[in-house]
Amino acid sequence: MRKVLLVEDDAPVRDALAQSLMLAECEPLPAGSFVVAKDYIARDFDGVIVSDIRMPGRDGFHLLTYAQQIDPDLPVILLTGEGDIPMAVRAMGEGAFGFLEKPCAPSDLMAVVERALKTRALVLENRALKKQLESGDPAARLIFGVSEKAEYLRGQARAVAHSGTDALITGAPGTGISKVAEVVHLCSPAARAPFVKRSGAGLDSAALERALEDAAGGTLFIDDVSALPAQTQFVLMELLDSGSTVRVIGGGASIGALEGALHPELFYRLEVGRVHIPSIAERPEDIPVLFRHYVAQAGEQSGIAPRDISSEHMAGLMAQDWPGNARALMSAAMRFVLGMNAPVAAGEGLGLSEQMAQVERALLIAALERQKGRASAAAKALKLPRKTFYDRLARYGIKPDDYRR
């Protein structure tokens, strides 16, 4: 997404500016007037605008006003060959992203355009996240990620929710087991009924019965269900067999650990609905989406406007294994917002080539995910020759067909 709507009535100047943009790997969309340019200006326009001020008919200030009416967050950079201080003050006062006097050096032009493109990308990404949060599907709102594994997790949660069966949710520490349990509840017909959470450790029979009463008609989630005392497990089985109106969801590290700790009858009753949450290490291509979401969340909680996340910082995050999973990524996001983050240790214990291989593999997979397995489109998005792209896929054993959907 590096589109630049270039509005300039002087054809030689327009061509020269377009060439500067192309050399900087931008896609210029040339327009000789406001009338031509306005057809490109839309709320979902995934680019920025560079416009001359003095043009026949509608001038650059009119274009600026029109663009702000369509989308106040669409960056408009104004150019003029007759610039003076009052005109620059007016341009910035009316909301222009930048102001440059012609002729301007390509480096000066691109410095402003690059900042505008980054700003626009962040705006559109935040809007997409907000739209996802506000959509009617709780799985889409609350389970983040663009990977195949994230989509499969959302599908599992929806399927178990609609089945109405009791369930077991497994995952490594920090993966968000209780959150996924709540998603299952919210996706079910009982979404408006109570969702009650209890820890299995020390949950005696009396406390269990009270919890089931509190969850009547809804869902009782028992975290670390393998820690349920043996007597409580028998009581739970009796209550479920007696026709309880409560769906019970248990949480734990793995199916194997739960099978060994739960009474067989209880285990096989709960494991009908299985949901497994993949670790962050299994889906590194989701790290940018998750981290940006947590940074926005942390910024809102702390009242601090988050700064830009550099590509180097993001690459370092993607190269880590994150044994603490989402919880550790949340902590890193809060430290980032508070300015307390230490330099990212990319792949601690690995050599530089191994760290870079981790990041490269994640970026290749993320590109295939975005392009739904279309290798040619993914290669183009990464600006790689097709042969180079396929060579790198082969190096990491990545098959484009695995990402088609």
Side-chain angles (χ1 to χ4, degrees), residues 141-163:
R141 282 192 292 116
L142 299 171
I143 299 176
F144 293 94
V146 296
S147 69
E148 198 75 27
K149 284 185 169 63
E151 185 55 40
Y152 182 70
L153 173 59
R154 288 188 282 268
Q156 277 188 304
R158 295 183 190 110
V160 171
H162 297 149
S163 73

Side-chain angles (χ1 to χ4, degrees), residues 66 126 187 201 249 263 275 285 359 391:
Y66 178 83
N126 287 340
C187 287
I249 299 177
H263 187 283
V275 179
E285 61 270 37
V359 175
D391 285 346

